[in-house]
Amino acid sequence: MRLAQFDREHARDLLATAVGLNHYNAQGDIELGLKYEADGDYAKAEKMLLAAFEVDHTYLPRWSLANYYFRRDNLPAFWKWARSAAEMPADDIGPLFELCWRVSPDPKTITMAILNERPELIRQYLGFLLAKNQLQAVAIVAARLARFGDPNSDRSQLFSVVNRLVAANNTAAANTLWRLLVEEHWAVADNTLPNNANFVREPLPVTFDWSLPEYPGLNSWPGSSGLEIEFSGNEPEDCTVAEQAMVLSPGSYTMTYAYRTTDIPPATGIRWQIVDTKSNDILLDSPDLSSDELKHSTVAFSVPSGASFLRLRLGYRRALGTPRISGTLVVLSTQIEAHL
């Protein structure tokens, strides 16, 4: 077999000798089959590739047969062996997905033809679809990974998929996948809105939990007493302190929140807002947060038709004529309830 690599004139005879000496030499069968194919002897080429599979049921003979039938434009046989190759995935079967894509650049067709319940296959196919930016198919395959995968190894990728779907404005699919992750116990979340309403858990790296941006001069940390925020006086004049995506049906709501501040005077620019992500319309704009004593506040707002995907945002915008604030804010809880 080594000599056949260098003596191309006698390669066929050398490979035939190698196969004759070792009937379990699947690699020799494949090489000889490819040689027959190159010479136009397709019947013998097919016979040798099938012989390779008879003695070796691993990935390579299946992959070789899928390639052969692709080149011969025998699509029923191609899909049979592509599906067979997918049943025993190698460390990287991206080339198999690429070959399927050349046959049919339709994620639904590929999914139905070769995808199974093996998490290693689903995981690689999900990465392939993300690279192709096939986000509608990504949402479907991600849901399959949530059912058959391993939270310890796949959770971060599925959180990333949720965030990517949100960034692409496919919010319905993002919310569906997020709720599935909660139902399957891949994510700890609340049934109430907003999620993690008392800030008792470290936020998850997903849009449907709190995002706590970091800035010079502004520090935030969640804990048993709520969300504590420290303004040093050097923070940006306009910034988001905390933010979370939500899905609300059209209707009337109230938001209740509890907080206290230290050394933060009134009317200096810290407030809650609820923003429609599609139109950027502000649906709720609370009074400025300032109270040396624990304070419970309630603000009413309405969600119009077509504005179901929202962002709840605690922000700071320096009020004109005031210095940047230097003090602390503790948010103990937040809650949103629909009017019945």
Side-chain angles (χ1 to χ4, degrees):
M1 287 188 64
R2 291 288 300 276
L3 184 58
Q5 296 177 10
F6 302 100
D7 187 353
R8 305 308 299 172
E9 183 179 352
H10 302 96
R12 182 192 292 185
D13 292 337
L14 290 165
L15 290 169
T17 300
V19 170
L21 291 170
N22 180 4
H23 294 292
Y24 298 98
N25 185 354
Q27 183 67 51
D29 289 331
I30 292 171
E31 294 294 336
L32 184 55
L34 294 175
K35 181 62 178 173
Y36 281 131
E37 183 185 6
D39 293 341
D41 195 338
Y42 302 123
K44 287 185 178 179
E46 182 180 24
K47 179 181 178 180
M48 295 311 302
L49 292 173
L50 289 170
F53 178 72
E54 287 179 5
V55 298
D56 182 355
H57 285 188
T58 61
Y59 179 78
L60 181 60
R62 305 174 193 222
W63 160 249
S64 300
L65 281 159
N67 271 274
Y68 172 77
Y69 289 117
F70 169 77
R71 292 190 295 270
R72 303 270 37 89
D73 200 27
N74 185 340
L75 295 188
F78 164 77
W79 286 116
K80 171 188 173 181
W81 287 102
R83 181 166 54 254
S84 179
E87 291 172 356
M88 186 172 286
D91 292 338
D92 179 10
I93 59 171
L96 176 63
F97 298 138
E98 288 288 355
L99 197 62
C100 293
W101 190 263
R102 290 178 64 183
V103 173
S104 176
D106 176 12
K108 185 177 180 180
T109 298
I110 300 173
T111 298
M112 294 179 64
I114 71 170
L115 208 60
N116 53 45
E117 296 178 2
R118 297 173 68 95
E120 58 268 33
L121 174 68
I122 303 171
R123 193 176 298 127
Q124 292 192 52
Y125 187 48
L126 183 60
F128 172 80
L129 292 174
L130 285 167
K132 294 289 187 183
N133 201 35
Q134 298 291 316
L135 295 185
Q136 195 64 42
V138 160
I140 297 171
V141 176
R144 186 185 290 238
L145 185 59
R147 293 188 176 93
F148 301 113
D150 179 3
N152 293 326
S153 58
D154 298 321
R155 182 186 288 110
S156 60
Q157 184 179 25
L158 292 187
F159 284 170
S160 177
V161 169
V162 171
N163 294 338
R164 182 141 172 201
L165 290 170
V166 170
N169 293 319
N170 196 341
T171 54
N175 187 53
T176 298
L177 178 57
W178 166 245
R179 298 318 310 174
L180 177 62
L181 293 175
V182 174
E183 291 169 9
E184 296 290 333
H185 306 292
W186 284 50
V188 178
D190 305 312
N191 292 324
T192 57
L193 286 174
N195 178 37
N196 200 359
N198 299 322
F199 303 94
V200 294
R201 300 187 302 271
E202 191 69 27
L204 298 170
V206 66
T207 311
F208 293 103
D209 204 341
W210 293 109
S211 170
L212 304 175
E214 297 182 358
Y215 308 96
L218 190 155
N219 295 306
S220 304
W221 57 94
S224 58
S225 60
L227 178 64
E228 300 185 37
I229 305 139
E230 183 178 74
F231 298 87
S232 70
N234 296 316
E235 68 277 351
E237 295 187 347
D238 190 348
C239 59
T240 297
V241 179
E243 186 175 60
Q244 180 179 145
M246 302 184 305
V247 175
L248 294 178
S249 301
S252 299
Y253 296 84
T254 56
M255 176 178 172
T256 303
Y257 52 96
Y259 74 96
R260 66 174 181 271
T261 61
T262 303
D263 298 329
I264 295 180
T268 50
I270 304 175
R271 58 181 59 188
W272 285 105
Q273 289 184 329
I274 293 180
V275 182
D276 174 10
T277 57
K278 185 176 181 180
S279 65
N280 282 326
D281 290 342
I282 298 174
L283 307 183
L284 176 148
D285 198 12
S286 76
D288 288 3
L289 276 62
S290 175
S291 175
D292 292 336
E293 304 292 332
L294 178 61
K295 184 173 183 179
H296 296 266
S297 297
T298 299
V299 183
F301 67 99
S302 297
V303 177
S305 177
S308 62
F309 191 69
L310 314 171
R311 290 190 182 273
L312 172 62
R313 178 182 302 158
L314 177 63
Y316 167 63
R317 175 177 291 180
R318 183 180 66 84
L320 292 176
T322 66
R324 301 185 199 193
I325 57 177
S326 178
T328 59
L329 164 65
V330 179
V331 180
L332 283 74
S333 63
T334 59
Q335 185 175 3
I336 293 175
E337 293 183 319
H339 290 175
L340 299 179

